[in-house]
Amino acid sequence: MAVRNSKELGEKPIGKLLIQQAVPASIGILVMSLNILVDTIFVGNWIGPIAIAAINVVLPVSFFIAALGMAIGIGGSSIISRALGADDHKKALKTFGNQITLTILLSTLLVVPGLIFVDSLIPAFGGKGEIFDPAKIYYIIVLCGVPLLSLAMMGNNVIRAEGKPKFAMIAMIIPSVGNLFLDYILINQLEMGMEGAAIATTVSYFLCLAYIVWFFLSKNSELRLSFSHFRLDFPILKEISSLGTVTLARQAVVSVTYLLMNNILFDLGGEDSVTVYAIIARMLMFALFPVLGVTQGFLPIAGFNYGAAKYSRVRKSINTAILYSCLMGLLIFLGIMFFAPDIVKIFTSEASIIEQTPSAMRWVFAAIPIVAIQLIGAAYFQAIGKAVPAFLLTLSRQGFIFIPLILILPHYYGEIGVWISFPIADLLSTFITAYFLNREIVKTLK
């Protein structure tokens, strides 16, 4: 018999509950980020700096397809959290079954053209010159495993919607540890180069999915599916799609950003500049783990209590999440400002990369102390099922502000124009989100 403890989301003190939800999420993101970070260090030292740039070129394509699973997972999890809060277990089950069917169909359909047009996609995302061949090797192998990653990302969000953050954390840790272990065996010991790196990544996806399948088949989950739940239901699909589009659009914009950044930086400074961006992108994934953990912990709390019409708890969860994440952002900012040169030396011994990266990294992290407001604000609208404001606020930073800046500023300021675009976009999008979030609190959550 499954344990029904999702009701704790509507009963425990918000501060304690947020820590309970955010700490496992943060640890999971930390381990996953460390995996990406150490994987980059391994690849850079055991294969070479060009390999770092090659993986960075491949990530937008594979992550966009995998993001379908994340989008369906987050969109459906918002429905599940609110359904559990309203004690509508039937809708929660139907939503989960539809999530699985939709993820399998869409991720598989996208992988096929991704493989057919490999020779066009890699150069389009900046895989030019010496970067092309290693990027193609990595791309083909990893893309074949992307449907597994899509299902894993979807399932992980549903585990969190049930109020089981520790299991979601383990689901993130398993592939990370597995990938590093396989990296050492395949790259360092067997000297398989880019093929070894790609196989290690793909096998780690399988390990993650295997654990998630075990969770939902075990007594730990309260979502006990039957075959009827997998039959597509149009009203539920429509709701999943409207909310999932927010996440998918964000990931699409991330992919477009990678495309533009890799091409702009290649034109401005060649392979070295692309490698600088690859290192900074890895640090962004790694350093923001506590802020992203608080955001993930906040989602099921806000969704459940909104579904249960406990609006005072929703307000308190917003304020507490912003406070915690801004304090974390300040610590991250200070660490980057003081230790940027030492951080870069971990990735590479190339003098030109070591010289260029620290100042660029400081610009990119300059507004991190307040960017949590933007993340929590956009997440709130997604958690309560308001797709349009969630969509617009999620895209405000990268889509509406950052991309225009990197298309304009480099013409006047060169490569520094790329780096200063980051804090400008962070500041403007945070002010916009703060305005709409405050208006929503005044109007809806009294």
Side-chain angles (χ1 to χ4, degrees), residues 52-370:
I52 298 177
I55 292 176
N56 202 55
V57 164
V58 172
L59 283 179
V61 184
S62 60
F63 269 26
F64 175 71
I65 298 174
L68 277 170
M70 183 189 294
I72 295 166
I74 292 176
S77 294
S78 171
I79 302 169
I80 290 171
S81 290
R82 285 178 282 121
L84 292 174
D87 207 23
D88 188 351
H89 206 65
K90 183 179 178 181
K91 184 175 183 180
L93 288 169
K94 189 67 177 175
T95 301
F96 183 34
N98 275 234
Q99 285 177 285
I100 295 172
T101 304
L102 197 59
T103 303
I104 292 171
L105 289 174
L106 293 181
S107 62
T108 304
L109 284 173
L110 278 178
V111 164
V112 175
L115 291 170
I116 292 171
F117 298 107
V118 56
D119 290 331
S120 302
L121 285 170
I122 290 175
F125 278 82
K128 304 168 184 175
E130 295 179 35
I131 301 174
F132 178 82
D133 287 335
K136 183 175 180 179
I137 292 169
Y138 189 84
Y139 175 93
I140 291 172
I141 297 171
V142 167
L143 203 66
C144 291
V146 161
L148 303 177
L149 178 61
S150 294
L151 280 166
M153 294 174 84
M154 181 277 296
N156 189 270
N157 282 287
V158 177
I159 294 173
R160 207 177 304 283
E162 282 197 60
K164 309 285 176 62
K166 291 181 181 177
F167 289 97
M169 173 189 73
I170 295 170
M172 298 173 78
I173 290 174
I174 287 175
S176 301
V177 174
N179 186 42
L180 295 181
F181 175 75
L182 290 167
D183 268 350
Y184 175 75
I185 298 295
L186 299 177
I187 302 175
N188 185 268
Q189 296 297 303
L190 299 181
E191 298 182 355
M192 293 178 66
M194 291 301 293
E195 288 183 358
I199 292 169
T201 299
T202 302
V203 173
S204 73
Y205 297 162
F206 171 78
L207 294 173
C208 181
L209 180 59
Y211 173 81
I212 288 171
V213 170
W214 167 83
F215 170 83
F216 286 114
L217 293 177
S218 74
K219 64 180 182 180
N220 298 297
S221 174
E222 59 191 79
L223 297 175
R224 316 303 296 176
L225 293 176
S226 62
F227 286 111
S228 63
H229 297 131
F230 294 99
R231 191 179 303 116
L232 294 177
D233 180 279
F234 181 73
I236 287 177
L237 284 180
K238 184 178 179 182
E239 194 171 358
I240 291 173
S241 300
S242 65
L243 293 169
T245 299
V246 177
T247 300
L248 190 60
R250 180 173 63 239
Q251 292 305 121
V253 171
V254 168
S255 295
V256 171
T257 301
Y258 269 94
L259 184 154
L260 293 172
M261 287 286 288
N262 286 331
N263 281 283
I264 290 168
L265 289 170
F266 186 87
D267 292 340
L268 290 170
E271 285 92 346
D272 279 2
S273 292
V274 177
T275 303
V276 168
Y277 175 52
I279 291 171
I280 293 172
R282 295 302 182 282
M283 280 307 300
L284 274 172
M285 291 180 188
F286 168 69
L288 289 179
F289 79 89
V291 177
L292 297 176
V294 172
T295 305
Q296 286 199 2
F298 164 77
L299 281 166
I301 299 170
F304 187 99
N305 285 284
Y306 191 87
K310 297 180 178 180
Y311 298 131
S312 63
R313 287 177 61 81
V314 178
R315 282 200 311 274
K316 189 165 185 179
S317 70
I318 293 170
N319 294 333
T320 307
I322 288 175
L323 175 62
Y324 287 1
S325 51
C326 283
L327 289 173
M328 296 296 179
L330 179 61
L331 293 175
I332 294 165
F333 168 80
L334 294 172
I336 295 295
M337 292 303 114
F338 286 110
F339 301 110
D342 301 302
I343 291 168
V344 178
K345 290 174 185 176
I346 298 172
F347 289 92
T348 182
S349 57
E350 290 279 330
S352 60
I353 306 297
I354 292 171
E355 182 183 352
Q356 295 177 54
T357 310
S359 62
M361 189 180 291
R362 290 188 179 106
W363 276 115
V364 170
F365 281 85
I368 288 301
I370 64 164

Side-chain angles (χ1 to χ4, degrees), residues 351-401:
S352 60
I353 306 297
I354 292 171
E355 182 183 352
Q356 295 177 54
T357 310
S359 62
M361 189 180 291
R362 290 188 179 106
W363 276 115
V364 170
F365 281 85
I368 288 301
I370 64 164
V371 80
I373 298 170
Q374 206 276 328
L375 294 172
I376 297 295
Y380 162 76
F381 287 101
Q382 195 167 12
I384 66 168
K386 294 192 176 182
V388 174
F391 178 82
L392 294 175
L393 292 176
T394 297
L395 294 190
S396 65
R397 181 190 172 273
Q398 283 192 302
F400 303 146
I401 301 172

